[in-house]
Amino acid sequence: MELVISSTRVPESVTVGGPLSPEQGAVSPEQLVHIYRLMYLSRRVDDREILLKRQQKIFFQVSGAGHEALQVGAALALRPGYDWFFPYYRDRALCLALGVTPTEMFLQAVGAGADTASGGRQMPTHWSSPPLHIVSTSSSTTTQLLHAVGCAEAGRYYTHHPEAAEKAQGDYRAYHDVEFHGDEVVLTTLGEGSTSQGEFWEAMNTASNKRLPVIFCVEDNGYAISVPVEVNTSGGNISRLVANFPNFHFAEIDGTDAEVCLRTFQEAAAYCRAGLGPAFVHGHVVRPYSHSLSDDDKLYRSTAEREADALRDPLAKLQMRLLREGILTEEQINELEHQLDHQAAEAAERALEAPLPKVEGITAHVYSADLDPTSSLFATEQVRAPGSEGGGKTGGEKGSAPRTMADLINACLHDEMRRDPRIVVYGEDVADASREEALSEVKGKGGVFKLTAGLQTEFGSERVFNSPLAEANIVGRAVGYAIRGMKPVVEIQFFDYIWPAMHQIHNELALMRWRSNGAWASPAVIRVPIGGYLTGGAIYHSQSGESIFTHIPGLRVVFPSNALDANGLLRTAIRCDDPVLFLEHKRLYRETYGRAPYPGPDFAIPFGKAKIVRPGSDITLVTYGALVPRAMQAAQKAQQQGIDVEILDLRTLNPYDWEAIAVSVRKTSRVIVAHEDMLSWGYGAEIAARIADELFEYLDAPVRRVGSMDTFVAYQPVLEDAILPQPETILKAIVDLKAY
Ligand SMILES: Cc1ncc(C[n+]2csc(CCOP(=O)(O)OP(=O)(O)O)c2C)c(N)n1
Ligand SMILES: [Mg+2]
């Protein structure tokens, strides 16, 4: 047979989409050549990067060598810019075949300003391309799987609720264009070692349970750096362990056989597109180049083993097939390879000449540049006239009857869900009743603290539902939903159990915008009951720890002390375009202190604006959360001793209102920072240090701090009272400081 290979340089765009349509019959000779071209180019880009690394012109290299056949098969069975992709660092051939160009790859390797994936922020092969629907990926193994699940859920949601995709002005929706297709598929990939992560099982569980159109592709090269598969996976084969997940299409294949790979992914995609459920493709591949250039597999693999692997190199296998079947002659292969070598070399040269990123740009995209939650857009603090209707189902919505913080948070959720069809609410126990048929005879649960009561009944089970008991699952899926322009408002049941979600919050949710240089964002809201003073809450129902989260760039942290602030700040959290950790003090939920009438459905409070809850002239007391009412009590007692305390409620901890602190401290010259969390390395340390640094000349006394003891909170109330700061503790600090 005749096959002409053009002698002109292959344009970079030739890979986009490829000449194959996903619904192919037998793989034709032309298709095999196309696959070979992509696989070979991928290998050469790796080789060129390795050279650049040895020349110290780039700073890291991890290759996709040995995985190319599997990845090209996946790419050619799917549609870039239509389907969605959550890859990992080894997926060079996948991304090349989807349409990422070699030049773009080298731009990332050198860390150029024009690096389209991250602007010089991420290592090479940390993919991102909005036009191709390749979502920014981190170095963390396995986190991307839950994003893929949330993404698939969002696609399904828009298909059922197309009106939700419409653009709206006045909130985050103005900045998130939505595209969706009823038969879209989501691909996510990972190594076999990464299947040991709990999040792998959490993602499989939800995809299976909800029959989501997600293809999980395990690229099994037998090693996780130096750890062989039988150490990571009991029995040494992940396919055997997942075989009983319902609703899945399963395939375990030789991932070095290009034709088998393409066919497998075509079948998997067809199964997912038909809405039958997710697919699991387990491809056995090889890893001829060690884990990365920082690794040498001769240190832990026998020669015989490495030689056996080399015989399975997918590139050599396909080349042999092209020759054996007379599809290409040796000369034609040489010519093709020569062109591609040249293409890779030229792309590398271009990237090496590209300008570096500008140092002034480092802080761009930590937060949304489009919508500033401290802006006057969110300053609608006027309270609605008594008699207005609205709010939640928990009663008291008419008139000016004071309502609790729990009521007004619930009311805000009802109002915002009515206004914005892109909001979904999920978490542990947040639904009224997962078994809907029960709702005709029962009142409904609506959260362990009843904060989400009535939401499922009003908005339906597709918008308000229970998650599995898995915190990483909750936050990881929220990232996937938010990537698609939706607004997940999720609940972590207790702050004490936020830790399984910490990886997703720290490395994914908060970082998505910055690491992708503004290309992607995941502005979800996480509501979390926090804090102690419960009389018996003990270690695991009393924790604070807000400073751990204010230490994460990209994450807004809110901590209201009363019903009205909670209502207005939650509204801002939902409407803004940044991820928000919304901390709700459990002890304040139903407190008499801080009740307020329902303020109406548009009442919002901007972030970063403290409130003077008690004016005074002698001492500034900076605080927030449950210490606000305790500080008020202490200040009243101090007044009896002639000390006039000004109390500042920060309301939001990131951003915080430095200006308000500075104005007050300049006036009083004495300041205490008080919080419920442990004293050492707490939130107050930062504020105190900044006051000492920037307001030193205004101070008449040292900056004082009040916090809990450096222990966890004990169960026995005698111990709890001693551990947590009390009004008397604050009063003593006030009196001491005045006497200084
Ligand atoms: C959560 C997490 N833990 C550890 C690492 C460090 N690390 C990077 S790659 C890797 C091995 C991954 O092996 P596997 O999943 O089999 O993928 P492969 O690299 O073999 O393709 C490890 C331990 C990481 N990046 N993320
Ligand atoms: Mg591996």
Side-chain angles (χ1 to χ4, degrees):
M1 58 146 294
E2 273 285 307
L3 203 133
V4 180
I5 298 173
S6 150
S7 59
T8 52
R9 195 178 78 78
V10 181
E12 291 208 330
S13 61
V14 81
T15 55
V16 180
L20 300 181
S21 85
E23 300 83 15
Q24 298 287 317
V27 178
S28 68
E30 288 83 358
Q31 288 169 332
L32 285 177
V33 173
H34 181 64
I35 293 170
Y36 184 72
R37 180 191 293 273
L38 290 166
M39 289 171 55
Y40 183 86
L41 185 58
S42 178
R43 185 73 62 93
R44 282 299 157 266
V45 173
D46 269 326
D47 290 340
R48 182 58 56 165
E49 266 194 13
I50 289 167
L51 188 71
L52 295 178
K53 171 74 173 75
R54 297 217 158 104
Q55 295 170 340
Q56 299 184 13
K57 290 179 177 162
I58 66 169
F59 318 98
F60 183 76
Q61 211 283 330
V62 61
S63 91
H67 292 224
E68 293 97 339
L70 189 64
Q71 295 176 11
V72 170
L76 297 184
L78 297 168
R79 304 179 194 162
Y82 184 101
D83 296 319
W84 290 81
F85 302 90
F86 293 81
Y88 83 121
Y89 50 78
R90 244 185 242 298
D91 289 337
R92 185 185 303 289
L94 172 81
C95 292
L96 196 65
L98 290 174
V100 179
T101 66
T103 304
E104 287 170 331
M105 294 185 179
F106 287 119
L107 284 171
Q108 192 175 31
V110 301
D115 155 31
T116 50
S118 79
R121 291 167 179 193
Q122 291 233 69
M123 287 173 153
T125 68
H126 287 53
W127 317 104
S128 165
S129 169
L132 301 173
H133 290 181
I134 301 172
V135 177
S136 169
T137 185
S138 72
S139 303
S140 305
T141 60
T142 326
T143 44
Q144 72 277 14
L145 272 61
L146 286 163
H147 307 171
V149 168
C151 173
E153 290 177 276
R156 176 178 291 173
Y157 182 85
Y158 285 126
T159 306
H160 294 173
H161 303 272
E163 73 287 354
E166 281 163 27
K167 229 174 165 132
Q169 297 304 314
D171 62 34
Y172 72 95
R173 285 173 291 175
Y175 310 100
H176 294 270
D177 293 333
V178 170
E179 317 166 39
F180 65 97
H181 306 280
D183 65 345
E184 66 190 38
V185 172
V186 182
L187 172 75
T188 188
T189 57
L190 72 162
E192 86 297 333
S194 303
T195 64
S196 296
Q197 293 279 356
E199 291 187 22
F200 166 74
W201 300 93
E202 293 183 18
M204 293 284 287
N205 186 31
T206 299
S208 162
N209 215 355
K210 297 187 109 179
R211 285 182 176 263
L212 294 169
V214 180
I215 302 177
F216 294 85
C217 171
V218 175
E219 304 182 20
D220 186 347
N221 57 21
Y223 276 89
I225 308 184
S226 69
V227 183
V229 60
E230 71 278 10
V231 175
N232 257 301
T233 304
S234 180
N237 184 316
I238 191 63
S239 280
R240 293 229 305 268
L241 301 193
V242 299
N244 282 331
F245 271 111
N247 305 325
F248 262 93
H249 169 83
F250 289 106
E252 183 180 1
I253 58 169
D254 176 357
T256 64
D257 182 324
E259 180 166 1
V260 167
C261 292
L262 178 59
R263 289 222 172 297
T264 302
F265 281 104
Q266 285 172 339
E267 281 165 22
Y271 182 85
C272 292
R273 279 198 214 292
L276 299 173
F280 187 83
V281 176
H282 178 191
H284 292 276
V285 296
V286 291
R287 197 192 67 178
Y289 286 4
S290 296
H291 172 73
S292 72
L293 265 203
S294 319
D295 175 48
D296 176 6
D297 69 355
K298 293 189 198 73
L299 296 174
Y300 52 84
R301 295 182 82 178
S302 70
T303 310
E305 188 184 308
R306 285 189 297 105
E307 284 174 0
D309 244 26
L311 293 176
R312 293 184 56 230
D313 187 319
L315 202 58
K317 278 172 67 173
L318 186 53
Q319 190 192 69
M320 260 146 56
R321 180 172 172 189
L322 294 175
L323 285 169
R324 195 176 57 237
E325 296 183 11
I327 297 172
L328 291 184
T329 63
E330 214 173 315
E331 296 70 48
Q332 286 173 317
I333 287 188
N334 286 342
E335 193 181 337
L336 174 66
E337 293 185 352
H338 180 71
Q339 284 170 29
L340 297 170
D341 290 345
H342 188 63
Q343 186 181 351
E346 254 195 13
E349 285 311 312
R350 261 197 298 281
L352 286 170
E353 286 159 17
L356 299 182
K358 294 207 169 15
V359 173
E360 311 84 81
I362 288 171
T363 54
H365 306 302
V366 174
Y367 301 102
S368 168
D370 299 317
L371 192 54
D372 177 3
T374 69
S375 79
S376 56
L377 190 70
F378 297 102
T380 57
E381 279 199 61
Q382 73 284 357
V383 177
R384 198 184 230 215
S388 326
E389 294 206 30
K393 85 159 221 168
T394 46
E397 56 263 67
K398 283 190 185 174
S400 57
R403 294 169 62 181
T404 63
M405 182 192 273
D407 281 346
L408 288 194
I409 288 174
N410 179 267
C412 178
L413 290 169
H414 275 271
D415 287 341
E416 288 304 298
M417 288 196 79
R418 262 173 225 145
R419 178 184 169 274
D420 177 357
R422 292 197 197 173
I423 298 174
V424 288
V425 168
Y426 64 89
E428 295 157 15
D429 299 289
V430 303
D432 291 325
S434 287
R435 294 180 180 165
E436 288 176 18
E437 62 278 10
L439 282 173
S440 57
E441 57 180 273
V442 298
K443 189 162 169 256
K445 179 78 176 166
V448 292
F449 295 103
K450 301 247 168 292
L451 274 276
T452 52
L455 293 176
Q456 182 200 357
T457 305
E458 181 171 349
F459 301 104
S461 301
E462 213 178 345
R463 296 188 67 192
V464 183
F465 50 90
N466 288 324
S467 69
L469 205 174
E471 286 74 14
N473 176 296
I474 294 170
V475 176
R477 285 162 67 193
V479 172
Y481 268 110
I483 286 287
R484 299 292 300 271
M486 288 192 62
K487 179 63 74 168
V489 181
V490 302
E491 181 176 299
I492 296 290
Q493 197 161 71
F494 294 90
F495 183 87
D496 314 67
Y497 309 122
I498 199 168
W499 311 115
M502 193 59 176
H503 196 189
Q504 285 286 350
I505 294 171
H506 188 279
N507 281 355
E508 303 295 335
L509 181 82
L511 255 164
M512 186 58 78
R513 192 188 290 277
W514 188 80
R515 77 170 185 229
S516 65
N517 206 14
W520 299 103
S522 46
V525 178
I526 309 175
R527 294 183 34 255
V528 196
I530 189 171
Y533 301 107
L534 303 181
T535 313
I539 303 167
Y540 300 104
H541 297 84
S542 305
Q543 290 175 23
S544 298
E546 56 277 10
S547 64
I548 296 168
F549 294 88
T550 52
H551 198 59
I552 303 175
L555 185 68
R556 306 291 191 184
V557 181
V558 179
F559 202 155
S561 72
N562 59 76
L564 197 62
D565 286 354
N567 183 281
L569 291 167
L570 181 58
R571 188 161 282 107
T572 303
I574 291 172
R575 295 186 186 182
C576 87
D577 202 20
D578 292 319
V580 180
L581 186 72
F582 193 86
L583 301 172
E584 302 169 0
H585 202 290
K586 302 186 284 275
R587 181 60 205 258
L588 299 178
Y589 271 153
R590 294 182 168 80
E591 199 91 319
T592 315
Y593 168 84
R595 292 189 185 193
Y598 168 64
D602 282 312
F603 174 77
I605 298 173
F607 289 175
K609 304 282 182 283
K611 189 168 174 181
I612 299 174
V613 290
R614 185 186 198 281
S617 54
D618 293 332
I619 287 179
T620 299
L621 207 157
V622 180
T623 190
Y624 53 88
L627 253 60
V628 174
R630 285 159 184 78
M632 290 293 274
Q633 286 178 39
Q636 274 157 21
K637 294 209 171 111
Q639 194 74 58
Q640 289 158 11
Q641 300 181 35
I643 309 171
D644 191 20
V645 179
E646 174 149 299
I647 300 177
L648 240 62
D649 179 357
L650 288 179
R651 310 200 287 186
T652 65
L653 306 184
N654 180 25
Y656 67 94
D657 193 344
W658 172 247
E659 221 13 68
I661 296 171
V663 166
S664 183
V665 171
R666 283 191 204 111
K667 180 174 74 177
T668 63
S669 301
R670 285 180 157 77
V671 58
I672 298 168
V673 189
H675 51 65
E676 174 181 339
D677 197 9
M678 288 174 249
L679 190 73
S680 302
W681 298 281
Y683 188 76
E686 173 65 24
I687 304 295
R690 188 162 175 200
I691 293 169
D693 185 6
E694 296 183 32
L695 301 172
F696 184 69
E697 73 255 44
Y698 297 97
L699 292 174
D700 288 342
V703 185
R704 284 278 150 81
R705 286 180 294 150
V706 171
S708 74
M709 291 170 66
D710 289 341
T711 68
F712 285 84
V713 177
Y715 170 67
Q716 165 54 240
V718 171
L719 304 179
E720 178 183 333
D721 285 352
I723 289 165
L724 291 175
Q726 306 298 333
E728 301 74 48
T729 330
I730 303 169
L731 178 63
K732 183 172 180 316
I734 292 169
V735 173
D736 285 355
L737 189 63
K738 182 68 180 126
Y740 184 89

